[in-house]
């Protein structure tokens, strides 16, 4: 369960911090051997980056709580730090879904930034495979807290990514790169190192 806070932050703390704390406490109380937390690489972006700041900080607060809690309990906490996930039935407000729908419908033009930002886009089926891998190999992991990156290790520019989608759909949509300014502090996202070697 995740709340991005896009429609207000009233329920964000409850969903992203209080609920998982309660679930972790119940897991520890009843001797559940493994607790898997769906984290986001986004929670490690610099605090000076303003976009979705409350969401990022809430995810980080629970992760650090879980890390501290795992050191004093037998329940393993396995943290999966998910990168830019995309796929069918995604939230309509998310970037890849919105771009795909516009390109598929042959929208005349999409105004974009220069598109040079690098992103590690990971398909939903690969994220599911990562969870499957963890569930079936959890007994091999050490006790305490462990974290794994769910990513491709192959970041691509937004420009290349969207151009590939356009080519795939033989769309006539004009991708108007450079029409809008890059979001303030966007470079912070490229400072997060992705490493999925722990899942291989």
């Amino acid at each position: 369960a995740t709340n991005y806070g896009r429609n207000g932050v009233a329920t964000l703390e409850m969903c992203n911090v209080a609920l998982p704390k309660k679930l972790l406490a119940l897991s520890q109380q009843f001797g559940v051997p493994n607790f898997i937390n769906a984290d986001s690489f986004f929670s490690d972006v610099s605090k000076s980056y303003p976009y979705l700041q409350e969401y990022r900080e809430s995810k980080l607060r629970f992760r650090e709580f879980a890390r501290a809690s795992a050191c004093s309990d037998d329940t393993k906490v396995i943290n999966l730090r998910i990168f830019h996930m995309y796929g069918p039935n995604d939230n309509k407000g998310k970037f890849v879904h919105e771009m795909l729908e516009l390109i598929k419908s042959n929208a005349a033009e999409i105004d974009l930034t220069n598109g040079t930002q690098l992103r590690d886009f990971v398909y939903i089926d690969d994220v599911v495979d990562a969870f499957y891998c963890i569930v079936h190999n959890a007994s091999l992991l050490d006790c305490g807290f462990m974290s794994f990156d769910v990513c491709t290790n192959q970041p691509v520019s937004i420009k290349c990514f969207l151009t590939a989608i356009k080519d795939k759909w033989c769309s006539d949509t004009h991708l108007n790169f450079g029409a809008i300014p890059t979001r303030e502090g966007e470079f912070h996202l490229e400072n997060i190192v992705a490493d999925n070697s722990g899942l291989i």
Side-chain angles (χ1 to χ4, degrees), residues 42-96:
F42 216 38
S43 57
D44 289 313
V45 175
S46 169
K47 289 185 177 181
S48 63
Y49 182 59
Y51 184 62
L52 292 179
Q53 186 171 6
E54 293 87 357
Y55 161 74
R56 298 193 334 264
E57 291 179 357
S58 70
K59 296 293 282 185
L60 180 60
R61 275 197 302 280
F62 175 70
R63 184 210 299 161
E64 293 313 306
F65 172 85
R67 185 193 306 273
S69 176
C71 293
S72 58
D73 195 271
D74 291 335
T75 298
K76 298 174 189 175
V77 176
I78 305 164
N79 190 70
L80 297 185
R81 196 172 70 142
I82 303 169
F83 279 67
H84 292 275
M85 181 171 58
Y86 70 98
N89 303 313
D90 206 349
N91 186 309
K92 291 182 179 179
K94 291 181 74 175
F95 176 74
V96 174

Side-chain angles (χ1 to χ4, degrees), residues 116-156:
T116 60
Q117 309 96 313
L118 296 177
R119 298 289 182 268
D120 193 318
F121 292 106
V122 57
Y123 191 62
I124 181 64
D125 287 355
D126 295 321
V127 175
V128 171
D129 284 346
F131 274 86
Y132 184 89
C133 175
I134 290 297
V135 167
H136 287 273
N137 293 284
S139 62
L140 304 176
L141 301 177
D142 295 332
C143 292
F145 179 94
M146 296 193 73
S147 188
F148 299 91
D149 285 352
V150 181
C151 56
T152 67
N153 282 4
Q154 297 177 336
V156 298

